Amino acid sequence: MDFSYTDEQESFRRELRAWLEENAPDGWLEDPELPDDDAERVEFLRDWQRTLADGGWAGVHWPEEYGGRGASLIEQTIYREEMARINAPPQINLIGINLIAPTLIEVGTEAQKQRFLPKILSAEEIWCQGYSEPEAGSDVASLTTSAEPAGDGEWRIDGQKIWTSYAHVADWCFLVARTDDSGTKHEGLTAFLVEMDQDAISTEPIHQPHDDRTFNQVYFDDAVATDDRVVGEVDQGWDVVMTLSAFEHGSTSIYSIEQRYLDLLEYCRTETRNGTPLIERDRVRQRLADFDARIQAAKAAHRRNVSKQMETGTPGPEGSMDLLVSDELRHDLLNFAVNLRGPAAALWENGHNAFDDTSGYIRSYGAWIAAGTGDIQRNIIGERVLGLPKDDKSKTSHRSE
Amino acid sequence: MDARLTDEHERVQETAREFIESEGGIDLARRQIDGENVVDDLWNELADLDYTAITVPLEYDGFGEGMVYLAALLEVAGRYALPGPLPETAAVAVPLIRDLGTEDQRSRFLPSVADGDLRMSVAVYDDETEPLPGGIRMGAERRGDEGTTEFRLEGTKTLVPYAAETDVVIVAARTREGQGYDGVSLFAVETDHDAVEATRMDSLDWARPMYELSIDGLTVGEDALLGPLHGGGSALVTAMDRFSVAGTAMLVGAADRAVELSVEYGTEREQYGQPIGRFQAVKHRTADMWVDMQSARSLVYYAAWALDEDEPDAARAAAATKAFAADRLHRVFGDDIWNHGGMGFTWDHDAHIYLKQAKSWRNFLGSPEANRDRLIDARLAAERNR
């Protein structure tokens, strides 16, 4: 048993750290701040991702032949640690980088890989993911958006998607639609790559509680996709969904949570209440220490998981534990951070931008829901890890519900 | 990095499990609870399997292994609430003698421990309501003339695990006035002396009996002093960290079993026409038990590794382990009782054995609150040095 990094892994860290010091956006290392204006922010983030791509740091986990570094899971962990350390700006095309590209690499055609991967990497084309529907949330397999063959190798798509992050700026959508409704709900689904720039597609932003509008409703009214945009086999889309979902559960945000905790610790050292530093209050110390222990536990668990995956190659359902623990830890931490602000907890912190605790605390309610709610993660642990009996409903046809 | 147990660790776990099952599994603990002393016979068997030699250095007939190896074994022991001073001997006493002992002390104790002829425990508290280090009060008065040094120990130690079933107890005493751990010295005291008497206390956990150890003016020579005079405190702190991690390893093994019991019952037991494990109230509670158990296990492995490797954050990791696991694993056992409904609240169901063990460990050697205090101090110090 060994929790430490090898010299080779440490040199990967040094290389990345040196690159970040040279290439982080101007002034970022001293004072990380994103533009307030929505359009400016999108441009800023596109630029950042292009810089990362040029340096070979956008898709480190991709194979080298597609512009990645073929980074091992341990190197990916180091990558997350280092990015968290400088509170690096998010990658605007993260959905493309972390979910869609790895899925294409695994099940896409060579033509699809050649056509799409380079532009995912450089954020020249931004991607969104069309899964959830108004009547298909946690139960995503019951979706009803339909795709029907329209001759000449074309498909016509009709229906509505919801909670679609970045659809308002996306160039492409990784869409799952129903192509056959004669079987059970997991049968007859097909995954498509759909170009967003067509009149038959419209998006409508959803106003979220933290006063952001990155979620959308997306309407498909006879939208078109061609045969060469089908991912995997027609009617076998559930396999593709599962492939992508494994990538969704394989990543961790524990390192950015740890950085947020360290920032809060520094705040408690310097901020005083009635002349006493927060850090000298027993109640504050006890809560901080509990967060510290939870973070250490999650990190050690993540390292155990990564070590296991290094051998098995695939993230197991244990990824649900990481997601659940991280989401609840982040929520509790930010909730506490807001409480520590004293009567000022009644105010937005600072223009509710991306690094604002108040926004983050409200956003953390959404994070618990995204990628499968905490309840769904507990179902996955209960059923797939522990083998408890499944709910009857999970097997029935979408039509009979 | 490979943060998993090695194949060898897993083989040890498998062998230990087969052995304990063949001896009756958790019935060993139940027999101990019913008043039988199963420790003597069991210890001989453990020695035959070399478990008593695990942490003893190679040159003293041991295996020279550390906390990781031991934690892997203790997980299995904990699954059966296995009676016997294995954590006390292998996680506390042996490393103390290994690290502090003179050549004479090492040769006197370590090979006998490895062989299974010598069992050890540790006595720190003088007052069961006073936390450490204030709870260390016994005085050891230094005497003797030129050339000879003697110490006279006087007082009553309390909360000494298995004192009557052990041959040597490492006793923390004060050799001079001091604050905290300053002035604390450690002595290896043989229990078969007339001046030493163990009296069984009314322990919450009957499988792990605690004793009062009265020492009535016992005079020991310099060869009983373990480590530097007045300066045993820092070694004692590390020893208590090993002890806590070892105890938590046992509780993790027990929690793993409690999750299994809840899953079995949730699958078999039917109410309202279906297995109760299909209800999300039970399913989610059981999932949370598993998450807490895995989290605690991850901390135990990390802390054990950090202690073995002398990592700079070893003490912090041990504090985090205790701070995290104490109440959460306790809740795992409580949840197992509730998942079993009325059946859970019977003497026959094993959860109460684990629950009492968890409660006995909770404040022993430092409450989670005290460990959170240590943890945050250690974190602040580490951040200042970054």
Side-chain angles (χ1 to χ4, degrees):
Chain A
M1 182 182 290
D2 186 0
F3 280 90
S4 66
Y5 295 113
T6 62
D7 290 347
E8 200 186 333
Q9 288 158 354
E10 286 296 347
S11 89
F12 177 91
R13 180 194 306 282
R14 279 193 299 277
E15 189 186 345
L16 172 57
R17 197 177 281 193
W19 185 87
L20 286 170
E21 270 164 31
E22 284 292 309
N23 294 282
D26 284 344
W28 187 269
L29 297 176
E30 297 75 43
D31 183 21
E33 209 171 330
L34 290 172
D36 277 341
D37 179 75
D38 287 349
E40 275 179 47
R41 187 162 62 240
V42 169
E43 267 328 289
F44 178 93
L45 293 175
R46 265 190 205 264
D47 283 349
W48 169 237
Q49 188 166 336
R50 199 173 307 122
T51 307
L52 283 169
D54 289 346
W57 295 106
V60 290
H61 52 301
W62 295 19
E64 284 178 44
E65 55 178 312
Y66 301 116
R69 284 176 184 258
S72 71
L73 286 162
I74 292 173
E75 287 167 335
Q76 293 172 46
T77 300
I78 293 170
Y79 180 82
R80 289 202 174 85
E81 285 178 354
E82 290 303 307
M83 288 299 182
R85 207 176 61 88
I86 65 154
N87 285 314
Q91 293 196 56
I92 191 165
N93 212 12
L94 201 65
I95 293 170
I97 296 275
N98 278 354
L99 306 180
I100 291 158
T103 304
L104 288 180
I105 289 169
E106 197 157 312
V107 299
T109 64
E110 196 48 42
Q112 287 169 346
K113 293 177 200 176
Q114 296 301 336
R115 163 65 187 80
F116 291 109
L117 295 179
K119 292 181 178 181
I120 289 178
L121 198 64
S122 65
E124 189 178 334
E125 290 176 345
I126 293 176
W127 283 74
C128 65
Q129 186 189 355
Y131 277 25
S132 300
E133 297 181 2
E135 299 303 324
S138 294
D139 184 12
V140 69
S142 68
L143 60 85
T144 57
T145 290
S146 67
E148 295 189 355
D152 296 331
E154 284 194 353
W155 295 80
R156 296 282 165 171
I157 299 164
D158 286 281
Q160 182 190 352
K161 295 290 176 180
I162 194 168
W163 319 126
T164 319
S165 301
Y166 295 110
H168 59 306
V169 292
D171 304 287
W172 289 86
C173 178
F174 190 94
L175 178 104
V176 179
R178 186 158 299 287
T179 39
D180 179 0
D181 63 3
S182 63
T184 69
K185 65 182 181 180
H186 294 98
E187 296 166 358
L189 298 173
T190 303
F192 293 93
L193 309 174
V194 180
E195 190 159 16
M196 291 293 283
D197 183 19
Q198 43 181 311
D199 292 341
I201 300 178
S202 57
T203 66
E204 188 186 316
I206 295 171
H207 197 177
Q208 296 152 247
H210 57 300
D211 196 21
D212 205 353
R213 291 176 168 82
T214 52
F215 283 179
N216 300 271
Q217 305 210 64
V218 186
Y219 301 93
F220 298 85
D221 182 15
D222 254 3
V224 177
T226 47
D227 270 341
D228 56 340
R229 303 302 190 223
V230 170
V231 183
E233 300 294 319
V234 171
D235 293 340
Q236 304 297 317
W238 188 249
D239 295 343
V240 180
V241 169
M242 286 291 102
T243 303
L244 187 142
S245 143
F247 294 117
E248 198 156 35
H249 293 167
S251 53
T252 182
S253 52
I254 190 61
Y255 299 97
S256 62
I257 294 170
E258 181 180 38
Q259 188 54 48
R260 192 64 207 79
Y261 162 75
L262 293 174
D263 293 346
L264 185 64
L265 195 66
E266 182 57 24
Y267 176 88
C268 292
R269 250 166 38 78
T270 50
E271 281 284 312
T272 60
R273 301 284 181 263
N274 293 326
T276 311
L278 278 169
I279 194 66
E280 289 176 18
R281 297 182 166 218
D282 192 49
R283 185 179 55 82
V284 173
R285 291 167 58 84
Q286 289 284 316
R287 283 301 305 275
L288 286 171
D290 193 52
F291 286 122
D292 200 309
R294 287 168 72 182
I295 290 165
Q296 289 190 55
K299 278 173 63 182
H302 178 250
R303 286 170 192 201
R304 287 177 57 218
N305 248 339
V306 161
S307 302
K308 185 174 157 196
Q309 275 181 51
M310 289 285 282
E311 192 167 285
T312 60
T314 47
E318 290 89 351
S320 286
M321 169 171 159
D322 190 290
L323 202 62
L324 179 63
V325 164
S326 296
D327 283 346
E328 298 191 349
L329 188 44
R330 185 197 295 105
H331 172 75
D332 292 348
L333 182 69
L334 293 170
N335 190 24
F336 179 60
V338 171
N339 293 348
L340 280 181
R341 295 177 58 233
L347 305 172
W348 288 96
E349 190 183 5
N350 126 49
H352 41 102
N353 77 23
F355 294 102
D356 179 324
D357 279 339
T358 311
S359 284
Y361 135 74
I362 293 175
R363 198 167 51 235
S364 71
Y365 283 89
W368 187 88
I369 297 163
T373 67
D375 289 338
I376 292 295
Q377 305 310 326
R378 288 183 166 89
N379 281 351
I380 292 173
I381 292 168
E383 293 169 11
R384 285 195 234 155
V385 179
L386 301 176
L388 282 166
K390 286 190 179 179
D391 199 308
D392 274 339
K393 286 198 201 72
S394 58
K395 292 196 192 101
T396 53
S397 159
H398 67 283
R399 290 176 306 158
S400 63
E401 282 173 32
Chain B
M1 182 198 295
D2 187 347
R4 295 173 300 170
L5 295 179
T6 62
D7 292 345
E8 192 186 352
H9 296 147
E10 286 179 354
R11 269 198 306 278
V12 168
Q13 289 192 324
E14 205 175 314
T15 314
R17 206 163 148 162
E18 281 167 15
F19 160 70
I20 301 171
E21 292 274 1
S22 75
E23 293 290 311
I26 200 165
D27 277 347
L28 286 162
R30 288 188 172 277
R31 281 161 54 196
Q32 181 83 13
I33 287 167
D34 289 342
E36 197 180 324
N37 178 3
V38 302
V39 174
D40 289 343
D41 289 343
L42 184 58
W43 197 264
N44 291 333
E45 307 257 20
L46 295 177
D48 286 346
L49 289 161
D50 293 327
Y51 295 157
T52 53
I54 285 174
T55 54
V56 173
L58 295 167
E59 57 269 43
Y60 300 99
D61 308 333
F63 287 82
E65 291 287 347
M67 283 299 297
V68 170
Y69 199 109
L70 186 64
L73 175 66
L74 287 175
E75 261 192 68
V76 178
R79 179 184 173 87
Y80 305 99
L82 193 73
L86 195 56
E88 289 77 5
T89 303
V92 186
V94 166
L96 273 175
I97 294 165
R98 176 193 69 198
D99 297 344
L100 300 180
T102 60
E103 178 50 41
D104 173 61
Q105 287 168 330
R106 291 180 191 174
S107 345
R108 185 151 37 110
F109 297 125
L110 295 180
S112 307
V113 169
D115 281 350
D117 295 336
L118 194 73
R119 297 195 290 260
M120 303 184 80
S121 187
V122 56
V124 283
Y125 291 98
D126 290 71
D127 177 342
E128 56 266 15
T129 61
E130 195 64 45
L132 297 175
I136 304 172
R137 288 185 184 156
M138 175 178 282
E141 193 190 337
R142 192 176 177 185
R143 296 174 162 188
D145 34 33
E146 284 161 49
T148 63
T149 304
E150 288 179 344
F151 299 91
R152 188 169 188 278
L153 288 97
E154 176 80 53
T156 302
K157 286 288 177 186
T158 184
L159 299 174
V160 185
Y162 295 107
E165 280 88 38
T166 50
D167 310 289
V168 174
V169 175
I170 294 180
V171 174
R174 293 192 180 272
T175 41
R176 74 166 180 219
E177 293 287 313
Q179 290 292 315
Y181 285 102
D182 178 57
V184 169
S185 303
L186 303 177
F187 296 91
V189 172
E190 295 180 13
T191 54
D192 69 353
H193 203 283
D194 285 347
V196 179
E197 195 182 331
T199 312
R200 189 163 169 146
M201 302 178 78
D202 190 13
S203 310
L204 172 64
D205 174 9
W206 294 349
R208 254 182 71 77
M210 298 281 197
Y211 289 82
E212 271 187 356
L213 191 72
S214 71
I215 303 179
D216 184 16
L218 174 71
T219 301
V220 295
E222 203 171 17
D223 61 350
L225 176 67
L226 199 55
L229 183 65
H230 316 311
S234 68
L236 183 63
V237 171
T238 305
M240 295 303 102
D241 282 345
R242 289 200 191 92
F243 203 174
S244 284
V245 171
T248 309
M250 288 190 71
L251 292 178
V252 164
D256 195 3
R257 176 65 182 150
V259 171
E260 258 178 43
L261 289 169
S262 279
V263 169
E264 281 169 17
Y265 198 69
T267 307
E268 288 160 10
R269 171 70 174 171
E270 295 199 355
Q271 286 288 275
Y272 304 101
Q274 56 178 320
I276 60 167
R278 188 172 283 156
F279 296 120
Q280 285 191 331
V282 174
K283 186 177 287 176
H284 289 188
R285 187 158 51 221
T286 310
D288 283 339
M289 290 165 65
W290 180 80
V291 168
D292 282 343
M293 181 273 291
Q294 285 291 358
S295 300
R297 173 178 279 162
S298 303
L299 280 170
V300 164
Y301 290 170
Y302 182 78
W305 173 80
L307 283 163
D308 284 347
E309 301 296 319
D310 264 334
E311 288 288 309
D313 65 346
R316 190 175 82 210
T321 303
K322 183 70 184 274
F324 180 93
D327 289 330
R328 285 176 177 90
L329 292 183
H330 177 258
R331 188 177 58 208
V332 164
F333 305 126
D335 283 350
D336 183 52
I337 291 180
W338 284 340
N339 281 339
H340 283 76
M343 286 306 298
F345 194 64
T346 61
W347 195 261
D348 290 343
H349 183 64
D350 295 335
H352 75 98
I353 297 174
Y354 300 139
L355 183 85
K356 291 166 186 168
Q357 200 141 79
K359 188 55 102 183
S360 302
W361 275 105
R362 187 193 188 273
N363 293 341
F364 188 62
L365 313 175
S367 64
E369 290 80 9
N371 275 290
R372 282 196 274 271
D373 241 1
R374 284 177 67 199
L375 169 54
I376 207 69
D377 283 338
R379 171 66 79 175
L380 288 166
E383 287 305 302
R384 270 195 295 275
N385 294 332
R386 256 203 340 181

